Amino acid sequence: MKKVFFIILASLLLVYIIATLFYNRGYKPEPTVCKEVAIVISDSLEKHFLTDSDVVAYLKRVKQYPLQKKSTEINTQNIENALLKNEIIANAEVFQAISGKINIVISQKMPILRVFSGGGSYFVDVNGLTMPAVPGQAIYVPVASGNIEKSFATTELYKFALFLQSDEFWNAQIEQIYVRSAGDVELVPRIGGHRILMGSLDDYEGKLARLRLFYEQVIPKMGWGKYSVINLKYKNQIVCTKSKNTES
């Protein structure tokens, strides 16, 4: 008798499972509506290029702002792709909660060089990518001006700026870079009234190592005002031009 009871119970359970599967296969839940968009700019304490309202305005402009849209109309990958086309944004992650809330997490680019050239004014970031100048933002990085092609700014000049940033001494010392051509670069230091002729940026580490030795061994004896030009163009040499007011 017990065996018959268990067979009936198992059969009823099987019928219930099959019926549930058929019912759910035809069931389509109502799509949720996005009632909230949460924007987090993860590095906003160090960099102030973007605000939440900037992100909202940008997404509205490219027609990717998800607020009040149904979940079936929202593609988080499309939103991410749109954000990454913004030249100030380095990374973007977009994900949707079960409630319909859209979460957007953004990090900004980190500039290491400001460029002024015939092609306009822009920054080069830590990854060698360009980003536009941000009105009203004071960003203290070396300034490069002169005859600068964007291809040179994002390759050789970028690597040089990255080196300056990584070296505490030169990061504090070099204020401006002037480019006459890709093979003729001058530096303007923060201290001293002299110009530094680099020539090309080939072997810039070796050239600056010689210059630092010159600063440490010669300048203390001769003084910062002794020379108007320090020329590093020649291999393993430093050629100096005296300032006019020290010639005698």
Side-chain angles (χ1 to χ4, degrees):
M1 191 69 180
K2 285 184 179 181
K3 186 176 180 181
V4 174
F5 173 76
F6 281 117
I7 290 173
I8 294 171
L9 185 62
S11 299
L12 290 172
L13 183 60
L14 181 61
V15 170
Y16 171 78
I17 292 172
I18 293 172
T20 301
L21 288 174
F22 273 101
Y23 174 78
N24 286 339
R25 192 164 65 177
Y27 173 71
K28 293 183 179 179
E30 286 294 319
T32 55
V33 175
C34 175
K35 298 290 186 182
E36 182 182 359
V37 178
I39 298 170
V40 176
I41 301 175
S42 60
D43 49 8
S44 60
L45 292 178
E46 304 99 57
K47 308 170 210 168
H48 311 285
F49 312 135
L50 279 177
T51 64
D52 292 6
S53 58
D54 291 332
V55 176
V56 170
Y58 175 76
L59 287 175
K60 286 181 177 179
R61 189 165 65 250
V62 297
K63 303 187 185 321
Q64 289 294 332
Y65 191 54
L67 191 66
Q68 300 302 328
K69 288 185 179 180
K70 293 180 181 179
S71 57
T72 52
E73 300 173 325
I74 298 171
N75 187 316
T76 55
Q77 187 61 56
N78 287 347
I79 298 173
E80 282 188 14
N81 292 340
L83 288 168
L84 291 173
K85 288 179 181 177
N86 185 303
E87 289 188 299
I88 297 176
I89 295 173
N91 292 293
E93 291 184 24
V94 181
F95 52 95
Q96 188 172 21
I98 296 174
S99 63
K101 175 182 176 181
I102 295 293
N103 296 281
I104 299 174
V105 181
I106 288 170
S107 61
Q108 303 162 89
K109 290 182 179 180
M110 172 64 79
I112 59 169
L113 181 69
R114 178 74 180 270
V115 177
F116 291 93
S117 71
S121 171
Y122 55 90
F123 287 98
V124 177
D125 82 342
V126 72
N127 293 311
L129 302 173
T130 61
M131 59 181 288
V134 182
Q137 291 291 330
I139 304 171
Y140 298 102
V141 294
V143 172
S145 60
N147 183 23
I148 305 174
E149 297 289 339
K150 191 166 285 189
S151 58
F152 180 67
T154 56
T155 53
E156 293 181 62
L157 203 54
Y158 152 70
K159 291 176 184 176
F160 182 60
L162 202 60
F163 169 78
L164 295 180
Q165 185 197 51
S166 67
D167 187 288
E168 186 177 355
F169 178 82
W170 291 117
N171 190 42
Q173 180 70 3
I174 302 302
E175 183 175 37
Q176 189 169 351
I177 303 165
Y178 181 71
V179 181
R180 295 184 184 279
S181 67
D184 194 3
V185 177
E186 295 184 13
L187 308 180
V188 178
R190 296 183 191 277
I191 301 174
H194 58 277
R195 293 178 297 129
I196 302 164
L197 306 186
M198 291 285 289
S200 75
L201 290 178
D202 294 340
D203 189 33
Y204 57 79
E205 292 188 48
K207 291 177 180 178
L208 291 183
R210 292 196 297 276
L211 179 59
R212 183 164 183 176
L213 195 63
F214 180 83
Y215 280 168
E216 292 171 350
Q217 295 184 357
V218 177
I219 292 297
K221 299 174 184 176
M222 307 301 292
W224 284 103
K226 181 70 175 179
Y227 304 107
S228 61
V229 177
I230 298 176
N231 192 335
L232 306 176
K233 291 182 181 182
Y234 306 104
K235 189 174 181 179
N236 298 324
Q237 295 183 55
I238 294 179
V239 179
C240 299
T241 302
K242 290 182 179 181
S243 298
K244 290 183 178 180
N245 58 356
T246 63
E247 291 178 349
S248 58

